[in-house]
Amino acid sequence: MNRPLIRRIIAVAAILLSSMAVAADVSASALSPGTSAGPWVEPGLAQKLAGGAHTRVNVVTKARADLSAAASAGQVLQTLSVLPVVTLRADQAALARLAAQPGVVSVSEDRPVPPTLGPSTALIGADRTRAAGLTGEGSVVAVLDTGVAVNHPFLGGRVVAEACFSPIDPDYSATSLCPDGTDQQEGPGSADSESGPCAAVELDCDHGTHVAGIVAGDGEGLDGDDGSGVAPGADIVAIQVFSKFDTEDFCGVGGTPCVLSFTSAQLAGLEKVLDLKGELPIVAANLSLGGGRYTASCDTTDPRKPGIDNLLAAGVATVIAAGNNGYPDAISAPACVSSAVAVGSTTNDDTVSSFSNRGPLLDLFAPGSDIISSVPGDEWRSMSGTSMAAPHVAGALAVLRQAFPNAGVAELVSMLKESGKSISYSGATTPRIQLDDAALGANPRPGPDQYFHSRGRILDSVQISANSTMAVQVSGVAGLPAAGIRAVALNIAAKGDWFNSGSVAVYPSDEQEPESNTLFYDPNRWASTMVIAKVGTDGKVKLVNRSAAPVRVTLDVHGHTRAQAATTVGGTYLPISPVRIADRTVLPAWGNVQLATSAMTGLPTSGVDTVALTVMVKSAATGTIRAYAAGDVYPVDANIDYPANVAAQFFTIVKPGSDGKINLHNLGANTVEISVDVSGYYTAAQRGSTVKAIRPMPVAKAVTITAGGTRVLNFTGVPDIPASGVSAVGLTVAAKATAAGVVSVVPASGPSTARVVAYAAGKDTTGFTTAALRPDGTVVLKNEGTSQVTVSVDAYAYFPAR
């Protein structure tokens, strides 16, 4: 049994309960500023000092000239260089003297508070800003917390300054966490949570390292992490503002020792940030701590207000966790200071985390549930809390500073508010940050995994021996870039070479062969399909022939994505509700039909780079169909060779011509009927989803769908596909039945299904499509045939939601 961990859990629970008990609900009526009758004095403080008791208090004065008079009222524990605040040990007589001084604005207890504890960066779009080269480089974020493991590989040596303010007070059983044992320490190593008292096994100083990792962790090239932080190019200022407590009065029963932070330490930390701002480009200070319950601004009562104001005036936003009490209409201090940025927590499903405080004082939401980040010992851990949400915002401000170097910090915060996704709760709404929208605007920038149209032949009727595998070079052939190819849209055609039937699978060259089949073939015609195929790091794909005899294979590339940003903007994908733009339209022998993208419902009138189409064909004789841009030279490669009297289907990604039209050409001696569905489009004119090709992953194996029936496929939990934040998937459906039919995708809305595969009686047939996910992460397949069909489904790609 992990006794230290149990003690920490008990301690945190006890501290939170203690904070709730001692911090009354501070309403607007209790927050009136000091008047001619005297300064504001925290309610209940005088009673606490009855009978000769004394405690720590923070005294805010109108000006620094008033500090000496205030300091004479009690024992001075801390003074600051800039802020008009002094920390005293006061009894009831001292409180009376302070209340009589005209220069005193407020007196409040220096009460210690605890820290306020997924694929979250992708949810807010930080993966896209990082791909666009916006990493927060050139900015610094200050983390006022339990110190930082400065040598953690996730932080990559980017802790550029350190300080420690850790009050020692025997009356509170409080001792220093500064590595040298003093109550103040500055310079290298002074906030290192892996040295000094914080390194003790019984203390939990992990919090600050976790927060710093969310802000600026860089997981590139590391094992064991879960991606990168929001601003992996930013630097960190680590400031330790916690002390060690050895009394159950503050730690709770069985919770000693524990770490808590005095307000006075936070004040010293804020002033240090202001001092460092003169030499470092600090854009934000993160405080993931607090306590109390505030339904109205605490501007006139919280001693941290002057420090937060000074930082804002200097161009530094103070980002503060809203607290974890689950209050529906209140937040904690110091988040209640109006000039701070108060941050609540959401889940990866964009619902308010049950523990998160919220209400009219809240400025922003950010992900805070089950966030994996760095902890001391070169390790990673999942934590939850508004403490995890706040550093998402602090990191986002570093990214925005890089994107908009001339904007003021208040303007950067406004960008996050205005571009955020509205989260509704209890009749109110607060934006959840959407960093890519704030940083990139409506238009995409060059980045990896964008789709580039390209057309060329890679293999031309090349034989693959029986039960063997062939590695095929993709990079540098057929007009593709010589390096950095991540995925290709491949039209694969195969035909049995010795009157044999079989199947072919395509997969990245450096990964394990999948169980699934990409294409089934026979000796009678060239069977074909298009897939979005992941490419190995060596620029190759592998083809495996699953047959006891050879097969002939032809490969044509119709597009590609790159691992790194190109010099130009590629297409981003936007799925639409399927639209049937042609229904049994007749193409004459050797004839042509043109489809206008302007007539395709769901597509914009301009900015369409390529269109994702599925085409079903049927004719009384054999022939070939080519889909290509109107005005282009007639291409060598074909999309499909269709058999006589049997419906066949293909998927393609086609670039419209300069007039916005697409040619479908029938190279056959007989007329052919075509039906065409549009499922989405790629555009460089607006941001959408990038293409993330994966090793083929099974979603369903040999499941049956009755005639006219449906099957729900859940993509949540499919390996290599995120559990949330996915707009669409690229999938194959292999189907077999006793009679011919069609398997289609049933959209969440709209009158048309999107056909995936037209299957022939008694034959295994495979089709591919890109299907929009429903809100619950599912795709619904429908059997539009007259007999039961057996299907197997595999995922080849996914498209992250924008």
Side-chain angles (χ1 to χ4, degrees), residues 137-197:
E137 184 177 0
S139 287
V140 179
V141 174
V143 174
L144 284 69
D145 214 291
T146 63
V148 171
V150 297
N151 295 316
H152 198 292
F154 201 42
L155 300 176
R158 285 175 291 114
V159 177
V160 295
E162 299 175 60
C164 177
F165 303 99
S166 185
I168 300 169
D169 195 320
D171 287 355
Y172 288 72
S173 295
T175 56
S176 175
L177 290 177
C178 297
D180 68 0
T182 64
D183 61 356
Q184 293 189 23
Q185 182 183 350
E186 298 187 27
S190 59
D192 186 1
S193 60
E194 292 185 310
S195 63

Short mmCIF file of all heavy atoms in Angstrom, two decimals, residues 137-197:
data_model
loop_
_atom_site.label_atom_id
_atom_site.label_comp_id
_atom_site.label_asym_id
_atom_site.label_seq_id
_atom_site.Cartn_x
_atom_site.Cartn_y
_atom_site.Cartn_z
N GLU A 137 8.06 30.40 -28.92
CA GLU A 137 9.46 30.77 -28.88
C GLU A 137 9.59 32.29 -28.77
O GLU A 137 8.89 33.04 -29.45
CB GLU A 137 10.18 30.28 -30.13
CG GLU A 137 11.68 30.53 -30.13
CD GLU A 137 12.38 29.96 -31.35
OE1 GLU A 137 11.69 29.37 -32.21
OE2 GLU A 137 13.61 30.11 -31.44
N GLY A 138 10.50 32.73 -27.92
CA GLY A 138 10.69 34.15 -27.73
C GLY A 138 9.93 34.72 -26.55
O GLY A 138 10.08 35.89 -26.23
N SER A 139 9.11 33.88 -25.90
CA SER A 139 8.35 34.33 -24.73
C SER A 139 8.71 33.49 -23.51
O SER A 139 9.21 32.38 -23.63
CB SER A 139 6.85 34.24 -24.99
OG SER A 139 6.42 35.25 -25.87
N VAL A 140 8.41 34.05 -22.34
CA VAL A 140 8.68 33.38 -21.06
C VAL A 140 7.40 33.39 -20.25
O VAL A 140 6.66 34.38 -20.26
CB VAL A 140 9.79 34.11 -20.28
CG1 VAL A 140 10.05 33.43 -18.94
CG2 VAL A 140 11.08 34.16 -21.10
N VAL A 141 7.13 32.29 -19.58
CA VAL A 141 5.99 32.19 -18.66
C VAL A 141 6.54 31.92 -17.27
O VAL A 141 7.37 31.02 -17.07
CB VAL A 141 5.02 31.08 -19.08
CG1 VAL A 141 3.92 30.89 -18.02
CG2 VAL A 141 4.40 31.39 -20.44
N ALA A 142 6.09 32.71 -16.30
CA ALA A 142 6.47 32.50 -14.90
C ALA A 142 5.50 31.55 -14.23
O ALA A 142 4.28 31.73 -14.36
CB ALA A 142 6.52 33.84 -14.16
N VAL A 143 6.02 30.56 -13.55
CA VAL A 143 5.18 29.57 -12.84
C VAL A 143 5.44 29.74 -11.35
O VAL A 143 6.51 29.39 -10.84
CB VAL A 143 5.51 28.15 -13.30
CG1 VAL A 143 4.75 27.13 -12.45
CG2 VAL A 143 5.19 27.97 -14.77
N LEU A 144 4.46 30.32 -10.64
CA LEU A 144 4.54 30.49 -9.19
C LEU A 144 3.85 29.30 -8.55
O LEU A 144 2.62 29.20 -8.56
CB LEU A 144 3.86 31.80 -8.76
CG LEU A 144 4.65 33.11 -9.02
CD1 LEU A 144 4.75 33.40 -10.51
CD2 LEU A 144 3.98 34.27 -8.31
N ASP A 145 4.64 28.39 -8.01
CA ASP A 145 4.07 27.10 -7.62
C ASP A 145 4.98 26.42 -6.61
O ASP A 145 5.65 27.09 -5.82
CB ASP A 145 3.85 26.24 -8.87
CG ASP A 145 2.62 25.35 -8.77
OD1 ASP A 145 2.64 24.41 -7.96
OD2 ASP A 145 1.65 25.61 -9.50
N THR A 146 5.03 25.08 -6.67
CA THR A 146 5.83 24.30 -5.73
C THR A 146 7.24 24.05 -6.25
O THR A 146 7.88 23.07 -5.85
CB THR A 146 5.15 22.95 -5.44
OG1 THR A 146 5.08 22.20 -6.67
CG2 THR A 146 3.78 23.12 -4.86
N GLY A 147 7.71 24.91 -7.13
CA GLY A 147 9.00 24.71 -7.74
C GLY A 147 8.88 23.84 -8.98
O GLY A 147 7.82 23.31 -9.31
N VAL A 148 9.98 23.69 -9.69
CA VAL A 148 10.01 22.97 -10.96
C VAL A 148 11.24 22.06 -10.99
O VAL A 148 12.33 22.48 -10.55
CB VAL A 148 10.04 23.95 -12.15
CG1 VAL A 148 10.29 23.21 -13.46
CG2 VAL A 148 8.73 24.74 -12.23
N ALA A 149 11.05 20.84 -11.49
CA ALA A 149 12.20 19.95 -11.72
C ALA A 149 12.95 20.48 -12.94
O ALA A 149 12.65 20.13 -14.08
CB ALA A 149 11.74 18.52 -11.93
N VAL A 150 13.92 21.36 -12.70
CA VAL A 150 14.52 22.13 -13.78
C VAL A 150 15.27 21.27 -14.79
O VAL A 150 15.49 21.69 -15.93
CB VAL A 150 15.45 23.22 -13.22
CG1 VAL A 150 14.67 24.21 -12.37
CG2 VAL A 150 16.59 22.62 -12.41
N ASN A 151 15.67 20.07 -14.39
CA ASN A 151 16.41 19.19 -15.30
C ASN A 151 15.54 18.14 -15.98
O ASN A 151 16.06 17.24 -16.64
CB ASN A 151 17.55 18.50 -14.54
CG ASN A 151 18.60 19.49 -14.06
OD1 ASN A 151 19.00 20.38 -14.80
ND2 ASN A 151 19.02 19.35 -12.81
N HIS A 152 14.23 18.25 -15.83
CA HIS A 152 13.34 17.29 -16.48
C HIS A 152 13.50 17.41 -17.99
O HIS A 152 13.48 18.51 -18.55
CB HIS A 152 11.89 17.57 -16.08
CG HIS A 152 10.97 16.41 -16.34
ND1 HIS A 152 10.65 15.96 -17.61
CD2 HIS A 152 10.29 15.60 -15.48
CE1 HIS A 152 9.83 14.94 -17.53
NE2 HIS A 152 9.60 14.69 -16.24
N PRO A 153 13.67 16.28 -18.69
CA PRO A 153 13.88 16.36 -20.15
C PRO A 153 12.71 17.00 -20.90
O PRO A 153 12.90 17.54 -21.99
CB PRO A 153 14.06 14.88 -20.56
CG PRO A 153 13.49 14.08 -19.43
CD PRO A 153 13.72 14.89 -18.20
N PHE A 154 11.53 16.96 -20.33
CA PHE A 154 10.36 17.57 -20.97
C PHE A 154 10.53 19.08 -21.08
O PHE A 154 9.99 19.71 -21.99
CB PHE A 154 9.12 17.22 -20.15
CG PHE A 154 7.82 17.33 -20.90
CD1 PHE A 154 7.69 16.87 -22.20
CD2 PHE A 154 6.70 17.86 -20.28
CE1 PHE A 154 6.48 16.94 -22.87
CE2 PHE A 154 5.48 17.94 -20.93
CZ PHE A 154 5.37 17.48 -22.24
N LEU A 155 11.28 19.66 -20.16
CA LEU A 155 11.48 21.11 -20.15
C LEU A 155 12.76 21.52 -20.86
O LEU A 155 12.99 22.72 -21.07
CB LEU A 155 11.47 21.63 -18.71
CG LEU A 155 10.16 21.35 -17.96
CD1 LEU A 155 10.28 21.80 -16.51
CD2 LEU A 155 8.98 22.01 -18.64
N GLY A 156 13.59 20.56 -21.21
CA GLY A 156 14.70 20.80 -22.11
C GLY A 156 15.64 21.92 -21.74
O GLY A 156 16.15 22.63 -22.61
N GLY A 157 15.89 22.12 -20.44
CA GLY A 157 16.82 23.16 -20.04
C GLY A 157 16.32 24.57 -20.27
O GLY A 157 17.11 25.52 -20.36
N ARG A 158 14.98 24.74 -20.35
CA ARG A 158 14.42 26.07 -20.66
C ARG A 158 13.93 26.82 -19.43
O ARG A 158 13.18 27.79 -19.56
CB ARG A 158 13.30 25.91 -21.69
CG ARG A 158 13.86 25.65 -23.10
CD ARG A 158 12.79 25.37 -24.13
NE ARG A 158 12.14 24.10 -23.89
CZ ARG A 158 10.86 23.97 -23.54
NH1 ARG A 158 10.11 25.03 -23.39
NH2 ARG A 158 10.35 22.77 -23.35
N VAL A 159 14.35 26.40 -18.24
CA VAL A 159 14.09 27.21 -17.04
C VAL A 159 15.20 28.26 -16.97
O VAL A 159 16.35 27.95 -16.70
CB VAL A 159 14.07 26.35 -15.77
CG1 VAL A 159 13.89 27.22 -14.54
CG2 VAL A 159 12.95 25.31 -15.86
N VAL A 160 14.84 29.52 -17.22
CA VAL A 160 15.85 30.57 -17.41
C VAL A 160 16.07 31.42 -16.17
O VAL A 160 17.04 32.20 -16.12
CB VAL A 160 15.46 31.48 -18.59
CG1 VAL A 160 15.50 30.69 -19.89
CG2 VAL A 160 14.08 32.10 -18.38
N ALA A 161 15.22 31.32 -15.17
CA ALA A 161 15.41 32.07 -13.93
C ALA A 161 14.65 31.36 -12.82
O ALA A 161 13.63 30.70 -13.06
CB ALA A 161 14.94 33.51 -14.06
N GLU A 162 15.16 31.50 -11.57
CA GLU A 162 14.53 30.84 -10.43
C GLU A 162 14.56 31.75 -9.21
O GLU A 162 15.44 32.59 -9.06
CB GLU A 162 15.27 29.54 -10.08
CG GLU A 162 15.28 28.50 -11.17
CD GLU A 162 16.14 27.31 -10.79
OE1 GLU A 162 15.83 26.67 -9.75
OE2 GLU A 162 17.13 27.04 -11.49
N ALA A 163 13.58 31.56 -8.35
CA ALA A 163 13.55 32.25 -7.06
C ALA A 163 12.68 31.44 -6.12
O ALA A 163 11.83 30.65 -6.54
CB ALA A 163 13.01 33.67 -7.21
N CYS A 164 12.89 31.65 -4.84
CA CYS A 164 12.11 30.95 -3.82
C CYS A 164 11.70 31.93 -2.73
O CYS A 164 12.55 32.65 -2.19
CB CYS A 164 12.93 29.81 -3.22
SG CYS A 164 12.10 28.93 -1.86
N PHE A 165 10.41 31.96 -2.41
CA PHE A 165 9.88 32.75 -1.30
C PHE A 165 9.04 31.80 -0.46
O PHE A 165 7.91 31.45 -0.82
CB PHE A 165 9.05 33.92 -1.83
CG PHE A 165 9.83 34.83 -2.75
CD1 PHE A 165 9.71 34.70 -4.13
CD2 PHE A 165 10.70 35.77 -2.23
CE1 PHE A 165 10.45 35.51 -4.98
CE2 PHE A 165 11.45 36.59 -3.08
CZ PHE A 165 11.32 36.46 -4.45
N SER A 166 9.61 31.34 0.64
CA SER A 166 9.03 30.26 1.43
C SER A 166 9.11 30.63 2.91
O SER A 166 10.07 30.29 3.60
CB SER A 166 9.79 28.96 1.15
OG SER A 166 9.22 27.86 1.80
N PRO A 167 8.09 31.34 3.42
CA PRO A 167 8.14 31.85 4.79
C PRO A 167 8.36 30.76 5.84
O PRO A 167 7.83 29.65 5.73
CB PRO A 167 6.78 32.52 4.97
CG PRO A 167 6.37 32.90 3.58
CD PRO A 167 6.89 31.81 2.71
N ILE A 168 9.14 31.11 6.86
CA ILE A 168 9.36 30.26 8.03
C ILE A 168 8.60 30.88 9.19
O ILE A 168 8.80 32.06 9.50
CB ILE A 168 10.86 30.17 8.36
CG1 ILE A 168 11.64 29.60 7.17
CG2 ILE A 168 11.10 29.35 9.62
CD1 ILE A 168 13.15 29.72 7.31
N ASP A 169 7.72 30.12 9.81
CA ASP A 169 6.94 30.69 10.91
C ASP A 169 6.63 29.59 11.92
O ASP A 169 5.78 28.72 11.66
CB ASP A 169 5.64 31.30 10.38
CG ASP A 169 4.99 32.22 11.42
OD1 ASP A 169 5.01 31.87 12.61
OD2 ASP A 169 4.47 33.28 11.02
N PRO A 170 7.30 29.59 13.09
CA PRO A 170 7.06 28.54 14.09
C PRO A 170 5.62 28.50 14.57
O PRO A 170 5.12 27.42 14.92
CB PRO A 170 8.02 28.92 15.23
CG PRO A 170 9.07 29.75 14.58
CD PRO A 170 8.38 30.51 13.50
N ASP A 171 4.94 29.66 14.61
CA ASP A 171 3.55 29.66 15.06
C ASP A 171 2.65 28.83 14.15
O ASP A 171 1.58 28.39 14.56
CB ASP A 171 3.02 31.10 15.11
CG ASP A 171 3.60 31.89 16.28
OD1 ASP A 171 4.34 31.28 17.08
OD2 ASP A 171 3.35 33.10 16.36
N TYR A 172 3.06 28.68 12.90
CA TYR A 172 2.27 27.90 11.93
C TYR A 172 2.90 26.54 11.66
O TYR A 172 2.42 25.81 10.80
CB TYR A 172 2.17 28.68 10.61
CG TYR A 172 1.27 29.89 10.65
CD1 TYR A 172 1.65 31.03 11.34
CD2 TYR A 172 0.04 29.88 10.01
CE1 TYR A 172 0.83 32.15 11.37
CE2 TYR A 172 -0.79 30.99 10.02
CZ TYR A 172 -0.39 32.12 10.71
OH TYR A 172 -1.21 33.22 10.73
N SER A 173 3.98 26.22 12.37
CA SER A 173 4.77 25.02 12.08
C SER A 173 5.19 25.00 10.62
O SER A 173 5.19 23.96 9.96
CB SER A 173 3.99 23.74 12.42
OG SER A 173 3.74 23.66 13.80
N ALA A 174 5.53 26.20 10.11
CA ALA A 174 5.90 26.35 8.71
C ALA A 174 7.41 26.50 8.58
O ALA A 174 8.02 27.32 9.27
CB ALA A 174 5.21 27.58 8.11
N THR A 175 8.01 25.68 7.71
CA THR A 175 9.44 25.75 7.44
C THR A 175 9.66 25.95 5.95
O THR A 175 8.77 25.75 5.13
CB THR A 175 10.16 24.48 7.91
OG1 THR A 175 9.55 23.34 7.30
CG2 THR A 175 10.07 24.34 9.42
N SER A 176 10.87 26.31 5.61
CA SER A 176 11.18 26.69 4.23
C SER A 176 11.34 25.48 3.32
O SER A 176 11.83 24.43 3.73
CB SER A 176 12.46 27.52 4.19
OG SER A 176 12.84 27.79 2.86
N LEU A 177 10.93 25.69 2.06
CA LEU A 177 11.19 24.71 1.01
C LEU A 177 12.32 25.15 0.10
O LEU A 177 12.63 24.46 -0.89
CB LEU A 177 9.92 24.46 0.17
CG LEU A 177 8.79 23.72 0.88
CD1 LEU A 177 7.56 23.62 -0.01
CD2 LEU A 177 9.22 22.34 1.33
N CYS A 178 12.93 26.32 0.39
CA CYS A 178 14.08 26.75 -0.39
C CYS A 178 15.22 25.74 -0.19
O CYS A 178 15.46 25.30 0.93
CB CYS A 178 14.53 28.14 0.01
SG CYS A 178 13.31 29.44 -0.28
N PRO A 179 15.91 25.37 -1.24
CA PRO A 179 16.97 24.36 -1.11
C PRO A 179 18.04 24.71 -0.07
O PRO A 179 18.61 23.81 0.55
CB PRO A 179 17.57 24.30 -2.52
CG PRO A 179 16.43 24.65 -3.41
CD PRO A 179 15.66 25.70 -2.67
N ASP A 180 18.30 26.03 0.16
CA ASP A 180 19.33 26.38 1.14
C ASP A 180 18.77 26.57 2.55
O ASP A 180 19.50 26.92 3.48
CB ASP A 180 20.09 27.63 0.69
CG ASP A 180 19.23 28.89 0.71
OD1 ASP A 180 18.04 28.81 1.05
OD2 ASP A 180 19.77 29.97 0.36
N GLY A 181 17.46 26.34 2.73
CA GLY A 181 16.86 26.40 4.04
C GLY A 181 16.45 27.77 4.50
O GLY A 181 15.83 27.90 5.57
N THR A 182 16.78 28.83 3.77
CA THR A 182 16.36 30.18 4.15
C THR A 182 14.95 30.45 3.64
O THR A 182 14.39 29.68 2.87
CB THR A 182 17.32 31.22 3.56
OG1 THR A 182 17.24 31.19 2.12
CG2 THR A 182 18.76 30.94 3.99
N ASP A 183 14.39 31.59 4.08
CA ASP A 183 13.03 31.88 3.64
C ASP A 183 12.99 32.57 2.28
O ASP A 183 11.91 32.72 1.69
CB ASP A 183 12.29 32.72 4.69
CG ASP A 183 12.95 34.06 4.95
OD1 ASP A 183 14.03 34.33 4.37
OD2 ASP A 183 12.41 34.85 5.74
N GLN A 184 14.13 33.01 1.76
CA GLN A 184 14.22 33.60 0.43
C GLN A 184 15.52 33.17 -0.21
O GLN A 184 16.58 33.25 0.42
CB GLN A 184 14.13 35.12 0.47
CG GLN A 184 12.79 35.66 0.91
CD GLN A 184 12.69 37.17 0.72
OE1 GLN A 184 13.40 37.75 -0.10
NE2 GLN A 184 11.80 37.81 1.47
N GLN A 185 15.44 32.74 -1.46
CA GLN A 185 16.64 32.33 -2.19
C GLN A 185 16.42 32.66 -3.66
O GLN A 185 15.31 32.47 -4.19
CB GLN A 185 16.90 30.83 -2.01
CG GLN A 185 18.18 30.33 -2.71
CD GLN A 185 18.36 28.83 -2.57
OE1 GLN A 185 17.66 28.15 -1.82
NE2 GLN A 185 19.32 28.29 -3.32
N GLU A 186 17.42 33.16 -4.31
CA GLU A 186 17.32 33.49 -5.72
C GLU A 186 18.52 32.94 -6.46
O GLU A 186 19.57 32.70 -5.88
CB GLU A 186 17.20 35.00 -5.92
CG GLU A 186 15.95 35.60 -5.30
CD GLU A 186 15.75 37.07 -5.63
OE1 GLU A 186 16.24 37.50 -6.71
OE2 GLU A 186 15.13 37.78 -4.82
N GLY A 187 18.34 32.73 -7.77
CA GLY A 187 19.42 32.25 -8.60
C GLY A 187 19.24 30.79 -8.98
O GLY A 187 18.28 30.12 -8.56
N PRO A 188 20.16 30.24 -9.77
CA PRO A 188 20.05 28.86 -10.24
C PRO A 188 19.89 27.87 -9.08
O PRO A 188 20.60 27.94 -8.08
CB PRO A 188 21.38 28.63 -10.98
CG PRO A 188 21.79 30.00 -11.42
CD PRO A 188 21.34 30.92 -10.32
N GLY A 189 18.93 26.96 -9.23
CA GLY A 189 18.68 25.94 -8.23
C GLY A 189 17.76 26.34 -7.11
O GLY A 189 17.34 25.49 -6.31
N SER A 190 17.39 27.61 -7.03
CA SER A 190 16.59 28.06 -5.88
C SER A 190 15.15 27.58 -5.92
O SER A 190 14.49 27.56 -4.87
CB SER A 190 16.63 29.59 -5.79
OG SER A 190 16.12 30.19 -6.96
N ALA A 191 14.64 27.19 -7.10
CA ALA A 191 13.27 26.68 -7.19
C ALA A 191 13.24 25.25 -7.72
O ALA A 191 12.19 24.79 -8.18
CB ALA A 191 12.42 27.59 -8.08
N ASP A 192 14.36 24.56 -7.63
CA ASP A 192 14.44 23.19 -8.13
C ASP A 192 13.74 22.25 -7.16
O ASP A 192 14.18 22.07 -6.02
CB ASP A 192 15.91 22.79 -8.30
CG ASP A 192 16.06 21.42 -8.95
OD1 ASP A 192 15.03 20.79 -9.28
OD2 ASP A 192 17.21 20.99 -9.13
N SER A 193 12.65 21.65 -7.60
CA SER A 193 11.86 20.79 -6.72
C SER A 193 12.50 19.42 -6.51
O SER A 193 11.97 18.59 -5.78
CB SER A 193 10.45 20.61 -7.29
OG SER A 193 10.48 20.03 -8.58
N GLU A 194 13.64 19.17 -7.15
CA GLU A 194 14.35 17.92 -6.93
C GLU A 194 15.54 18.09 -6.00
O GLU A 194 16.38 17.20 -5.90
CB GLU A 194 14.80 17.34 -8.28
CG GLU A 194 13.63 16.88 -9.14
CD GLU A 194 14.06 16.21 -10.43
OE1 GLU A 194 14.90 16.78 -11.15
OE2 GLU A 194 13.54 15.11 -10.71
N SER A 195 15.59 19.24 -5.32
CA SER A 195 16.64 19.44 -4.32
C SER A 195 16.04 20.09 -3.09
O SER A 195 14.94 20.63 -3.13
CB SER A 195 17.77 20.32 -4.89
OG SER A 195 17.28 21.61 -5.20
N GLY A 196 16.77 20.03 -1.97
CA GLY A 196 16.27 20.61 -0.74
C GLY A 196 15.11 19.82 -0.16
O GLY A 196 14.90 18.65 -0.49
N PRO A 197 14.32 20.45 0.71
CA PRO A 197 13.22 19.75 1.37
C PRO A 197 12.20 19.15 0.41
O PRO A 197 11.58 18.13 0.72
CB PRO A 197 12.58 20.84 2.25
CG PRO A 197 13.68 21.82 2.48
CD PRO A 197 14.49 21.83 1.23
#
